[in-house]
Amino acid sequence: MTGRPLWKPLSVAVLGAVALSVLGGLSTDIGPWYRGLAKPAWQPPDWLFGPVWTTIYALGVVAAVRAWRAPVQQPGRGALLTAFGANGIANVLWSVLFFAMRRPDWAAFEVVLLWLSIAWLIRVAGRRDRLAGWLLAPYLAWVSFAAVLNLTIVRLNPPFA
């Protein structure tokens, strides 16, 4: 990784993370509709979601830069960019479905695609740089937890159940 410029992958990764956080934030309305939903007692407090997502995006930036800067002999920079792009779309789509469209039931189906996109991203990034793959593991863990939370919210709130 030494000798390869850092500015290009860092710029792309940071811009991607900022774009995702802005699009996700614009799609997420924690207003009366969301506050009125029945939620399980084990749901984390609302204030925790911001720091968790900030950490996940920061780890994603580091993972992206490490994987991008892997030796040229490693296959798949195009696959890496495709995996990050597909994951970004799935990430924002979940927020749109759950919050903007107020369809936690549709989001519960889409979270499977999000989860698979993260698993694919871990595989692609990890093949280029082992640590890059591991840095994405908290993202998969969080979305796994969020999927269970999403399903529980659907069950607790007819007519979604």
Side-chain angles (χ1 to χ4, degrees), residues 27-84:
S27 303
T28 303
D29 179 14
I30 310 290
W33 173 80
Y34 177 76
R35 292 194 191 288
L37 291 173
K39 297 175 207 74
W42 48 266
Q43 176 176 323
D46 291 342
W47 63 263
L48 184 62
F49 288 81
V52 166
W53 278 110
T54 300
T55 301
I56 287 169
Y57 286 144
L59 291 171
V61 165
V62 175
V65 170
R66 287 189 60 90
W68 179 310
R69 296 182 77 215
V72 177
Q73 298 87 347
Q74 297 295 327
R77 189 180 284 173
L80 178 71
L81 294 173
T82 301
F84 268 104

Side-chain angles (χ1 to χ4, degrees), residues 13-28:
V14 168
L15 286 174
V18 168
L20 277 177
S21 64
V22 167
L23 289 172
L26 290 173
S27 303
T28 303

Side-chain angles (χ1 to χ4, degrees), residues 44-137:
D46 291 342
W47 63 263
L48 184 62
F49 288 81
V52 166
W53 278 110
T54 300
T55 301
I56 287 169
Y57 286 144
L59 291 171
V61 165
V62 175
V65 170
R66 287 189 60 90
W68 179 310
R69 296 182 77 215
V72 177
Q73 298 87 347
Q74 297 295 327
R77 189 180 284 173
L80 178 71
L81 294 173
T82 301
F84 268 104
N87 174 256
I89 291 167
N91 184 305
V92 171
L93 181 58
W94 184 90
S95 294
V96 169
L97 292 172
F98 191 100
F99 291 103
M101 295 180 71
R102 298 180 178 180
R103 293 303 307 246
D105 52 341
W106 293 357
F109 284 105
E110 194 277 344
V111 80
V112 174
L113 297 176
L114 176 57
W115 193 95
L116 290 171
S117 78
I118 299 165
W120 178 43
L121 182 57
I122 289 172
R123 181 165 189 247
V124 171
R127 286 179 57 199
R128 291 187 55 84
D129 180 271
R130 185 177 299 261
L131 180 57
W134 281 106
L135 289 169
L136 296 166

